[in-house]
Amino acid sequence: MRAEALEAPHAVARQLAQDAGTYRALGAALRSQEPSAVLTVARGSSDHAASYMAYLTMARLGRLVTSLPMSVITLYNSRLRCEGLVSLAFSQSGQSPDLIAPTRRLREGGARTVALVNDVNSPLAEAAEFLLPLHAGPELSVAATKSYLCQLVAGARVVAAWQDDAALSAALEALPEALTKAAQADWSLLPEALLSTDKLFVIGRGLGLAVAQEAALKFKETCGIQAEAFSGAEVRHGPMALIDAGYPLLVFAPRGPAQAGLLSLAQDMRARGARVLLAAPAGTPGAQLPLSPTAHEDLDAIAAIQSFYPAVEALARARGGDPDQPPHLAKVTRTH
C-alpha cells in the first residue's frame, strides 16, 4: 500500500501524458450536445472519486449530477429514460456486475456512456462508448491508493475538457510535482495521535468532502477504526451529540470557499474538548497536518489525500495490522 501510494505522482504523470485527444473529443461532444442529465456509477473508493467529479461539475458548470443507485437497474429492472443522458462509471478493476449492467443498459437506451477504469480489457471498459484509462498501473494492495488518485485526476480532466478551461488544464499538468511534495509532507502526528482510537469523525466540505469520505473508508479497512465522514455543515446537526471531551476528529480544510467554515468548526470543537487533528495549509492557525498547495485550489483535495495515505498506512502498522491484506476484504468486489 505504501509503495503504491508513493508511486501515485508517477501514475498521474503517466495518465496526463496520454489520451488528450479522447478528453478533447468528449469535451467537445458535451458542449455540442449538452446532456439533459448526468449520472455517476461507482462503488467504494471509486464512488468517492465520482463524487469529487460531480461536485466539480456542479460548481463549475452548473449541471446537476446524480449518483445512480445501481440496484434500480440490477434488482428492480427499472427502464430509465436515457434521452440526452451522460453516464460516467468509475472503477479500478471494471469487473463488478452492478457497474457493467447499468452501463450496458444505459448505452443500449441511447445514453452516452463513459468508463474511467484502470483495466482497459475489462467488461466495463468494453461496455462504455468512451474509455478513459486511468493508467495507474498494477495495484496489488487491497486498499486503493494510486488508482483513486488517478480517478480524481481523470474526473478533473473531464470537467476541464467539458469547460474547455485552459487554466484548470494547465494546473492539472503541474499536479505530479505537487503530489510528489504532498507525499513527503510530515503527517507523523496522525499515527501518534490515533494509535489507540476506535472511532472518529472525518470532516470535509465542498470539494474536500470526497477525500474525507475516502479517508474514513481507509481508517475502517486498514485500521479497524469506526470512522464516519461528514460535511462540516452536516456534523453540526445530529452527529454533534456524540462529540464530547476527547472525541477524535480529523478535519480536512484545504483552500477554497469551504475553508473558513471548517476552520471555525475545528476551533469550536477544540473549545468543547474534542481532540481535533486539523489538516490545512502550512501557516494556518491551529493546523497540525500540513496540506500542500497545487496550481489551482480546486485540485488541492487531491494533494490532501496523497498526504493522508502514507500516514494511515503507518497507523495501520503501528496498531499491529497489515494494511496490504485487510481482513475479510478482496481486491475485486463483485456486487450485483
Side-chain angles (χ1 to χ4, degrees), residues 2 16 18-19 47-48 149 167-169 183 186 205 212 218 233 243 252 275 290 299:
R2 178 176 175 80
L16 290 167
Q18 301 184 64
D19 306 311
D47 192 39
H48 305 151
L149 282 155
L168 184 58
S169 296
D186 183 5
R205 198 174 184 191
K218 288 299 182 285
I243 302 174
F252 283 95
R275 186 153 46 100
L299 305 178

Side-chain angles (χ1 to χ4, degrees), residues 27-75:
L30 291 170
R31 290 193 302 275
S32 64
Q33 290 181 283
E34 293 191 354
S36 60
V38 182
L39 287 181
T40 62
V41 185
R43 294 274 190 215
S45 288
S46 297
D47 192 39
H48 305 151
S51 69
Y52 170 79
M53 190 225 72
Y55 200 98
L56 197 61
T57 300
M58 291 186 282
R60 286 177 152 263
L61 290 153
R63 289 282 177 181
L64 291 175
V65 183
T66 301
S67 175
L68 176 70
M70 283 87 85
S71 59
V72 298
I73 292 177
T74 61
L75 298 183

Side-chain angles (χ1 to χ4, degrees), residues 254-300:
R255 297 179 301 169
Q259 186 187 59
L262 291 164
L263 296 179
S264 176
L265 174 69
Q267 186 177 19
D268 292 347
M269 293 304 96
R270 281 179 175 150
R272 65 190 296 174
R275 186 153 46 100
V276 178
L277 291 176
L278 176 60
T284 303
Q288 305 118 307
L289 303 172
L291 293 184
S292 300
T294 66
H296 197 296
E297 67 180 29
D298 285 354
L299 305 178
D300 281 7

